[in-house]
Amino acid sequence: MLDIYTIGEDVLREECKDITEFGDEIRMLSDAMLDTLDEADGVGLAGPQVGVSEKIFVVHIRGEKPLVFINPMITETSIETGVYEEGCLSIPGVYHDVVRPLAVTVQAQDVTGRHFTIKADGLLARVIQHENDHLHGKLYIDHLDEREKEKLLRVYERKNKARRKQKVRV
Ligand code: NI
């Protein structure tokens, strides 16, 4: 299992590098990321969240096949937008509505380097956009206005302090 980096870590704010080698290393990383994602009970996990500043994210929507996106590029977004409550494994314990396009087209490579294109809507479109943001140092809270963002971060800090205290007490 890989460690999940949380907000405050520099790696979450960096622009990721392209992946150019498609060998055992990238296959092992994507397997480890999928295991970590399932263990954390999330639906998406991006490289920076496990301390890897490279363009890779994995998606696993329950009941569907796990997906690996390498060097992804969102090439089309729908004009129509929608609201959905998002969370992030790197900002645990808080959630907030985020407005995003409802459908996207994404081009990416799989672990063997093969190029593919997916047209997605619904939850998959939502997760692809959230994870793709991570590869550019962006978090979902950056989509909120400043007041909402500050409020959410205060709640996060409070919850985390409580969690740390709890740990010490045990
Ligand atoms: Ni996230």
Side-chain angles (χ1 to χ4, degrees):
M1 235 39 73
L2 303 168
D3 285 336
I4 296 178
Y5 287 55
T6 52
I7 190 166
E9 299 275 4
D10 291 344
V11 69
L12 291 172
R13 290 311 197 170
E14 291 165 4
E15 178 73 21
C16 291
K17 288 188 281 292
D18 287 337
I19 288 170
T20 53
E21 290 196 26
F22 295 87
D24 288 344
E25 214 171 299
I26 198 69
R27 183 183 296 276
M28 277 159 48
L29 174 63
S30 67
D31 286 348
M33 285 174 70
L34 280 167
D35 287 345
T36 303
L37 176 62
D38 288 347
E39 180 72 21
D41 204 24
V43 290
L45 185 69
Q49 296 184 275
V50 292
V52 178
S53 194
E54 294 181 11
K55 285 185 183 155
I56 178 171
F57 66 75
V58 297
V59 175
H60 192 193
I61 293 171
R62 299 296 160 260
E64 293 185 25
K65 200 166 62 99
L67 298 168
V68 180
F69 296 79
I70 294 171
N71 301 329
M73 261 188 38
I74 292 175
T75 55
E76 273 183 71
T77 54
S78 63
I79 293 164
E80 207 185 338
T81 59
V83 178
Y84 189 87
E85 190 179 60
E86 295 189 24
C88 180
L89 292 173
S90 294
I91 320 172
V94 294
Y95 305 87
H96 203 283
D97 282 348
V98 180
V99 179
R100 294 189 195 263
L102 285 173
V104 295
T105 302
V106 60
Q107 293 182 358
Q109 286 167 278
D110 67 14
V111 283
T112 68
R114 193 181 58 89
H115 290 266
F116 65 93
T117 302
I118 289 182
K119 282 180 187 286
D121 57 15
L123 181 57
L124 181 57
R126 177 62 58 163
V127 179
I128 285 171
Q129 293 174 81
H130 177 118
E131 299 311 325
N132 192 63
D133 275 354
H134 274 299
L135 305 185
H136 302 284
K138 194 166 179 180
L139 301 171
Y140 80 87
I141 56 173
D142 302 334
H143 290 273
L144 311 180
D145 71 37
E146 277 308 311
R147 265 186 45 207
E148 288 175 326
K149 183 172 169 176
E150 277 168 28
K151 197 171 148 201
L152 193 78
L153 286 174
R154 274 201 303 276
V155 174
Y156 169 74
E157 285 302 328
R158 202 165 57 232
K159 285 193 170 194
N160 255 36
K161 241 178 249 167
R163 195 178 311 167
R164 278 197 293 271
K165 227 185 244 170
Q166 227 168 24
K167 267 188 194 160
V168 172
R169 225 182 280 145
V170 175

